[in-house]
Amino acid sequence: SFWIRERQRVVILLDRAEGTRSADYGARFVERLVTLSYESLARKCQPLPRNTKWVLRQIFDNTRRTVVAILEKHKGELSAQELVTGGLARIEALNPTLNAVLVPQRASSTKGTGPLTGVPFLAKDLLPYPGLRAAMGARLFDGHVPASHVPYTQAIEDAGLACVGKTTTSEFGLLGSGETLLEGVTRSPWGAQLSPGGSSAGSAVAVAAGLVPLAHASDGGGSIRLPASLNGLFGFKPSMDATKSAMSVPSRFGRLLSEHCLTRSVRDSAAFFELTAAAPFRVPAPRKLRVGVYTRDAFSNVATEENCAAVAHAVEVLGGLGHEVEEIAPPALNGELISRSFFRLAGFMLTDLS
């Protein structure tokens, strides 16, 4: 299982590294992966076979050559149908292990004229997408299929995205995990023993594992930001009412959520936001920012050593860009009280769905 996970991981990394077409860069890239994977494996089991590095090198170099050959063959020219077919094939191959996608299906059309025509896409099971079951992770609504578009899903259709299925979520999107009685357990692509977070668990796993380049997600109390962090992705929560409405009927519960997506880059997230925004927006001119940094959460827990190191790196990058960064005290919040209040409020709002 380790070799399979590492092979999946290198495909994801290669997908981000166009420079691997260069033989010299590719060789150094492979050696770096060999070193990282050897160190990871050495922490898990001892003693290691003497040919471990050789085996890793063969796996990664063969994968690199395969990906480069595909890139050279197509040279960036793929039909919309080929993109969708490729996405469905990858879902079929990996989803039995990951359990991130609910009943994948072929998109209704790949002949649009939108800027993202043919790009395979997945929608979180909280989103009422016409023709696809919208159970919200709950057995209570298993079998519910919306018949028509809401403004948000219409914007996705107009963009040309090919929605090939729905992704798993915690029940009603209320928990930061991906296990439900309806769908079972959604597993992280970085290891079966790890949690992908939630509630946008399936969308995060699908993007992190390379099933699709981007997937819809929603956020009320961290459901985009948490799985983005746990899966090495980019995600942010748009401001309230910043995007088109995703509600098929008026709902106080829907007012808790901000709709957006999970991606591998800021560029893709910005492009999706522009296509689904409630009103045109302008990118502000670059300016020097004041950034406050803290590493303690609302429950007074200190971040792990690895997380603190990541924050320190971000501080270094921001400082290098000319921004003013300083350590500040965390907000005076009672995390336990906020958590209890959120669930009580959500429970009350869910009565709209009955």
Side-chain angles (χ1 to χ4, degrees), residues 80-99:
Q81 189 58 57
E82 285 176 313
L83 286 172
V84 173
T85 300
L88 286 169
R90 190 156 175 82
I91 291 171
E92 183 180 357
L94 296 181
N95 196 56
T97 299
L98 301 172
N99 190 34

Side-chain angles (χ1 to χ4, degrees), residues 52-97:
T52 297
K53 283 194 174 182
W54 180 87
V55 172
L56 285 169
R57 193 171 291 111
Q58 300 308 304
I59 291 174
F60 291 146
D61 195 51
N62 288 340
T63 304
R64 182 188 71 84
R65 292 175 187 276
T66 300
V67 172
V68 170
I70 293 172
L71 289 172
E72 291 299 324
K73 177 182 177 181
H74 293 286
K75 294 184 178 179
E77 297 177 1
L78 288 171
S79 70
Q81 189 58 57
E82 285 176 313
L83 286 172
V84 173
T85 300
L88 286 169
R90 190 156 175 82
I91 291 171
E92 183 180 357
L94 296 181
N95 196 56
T97 299

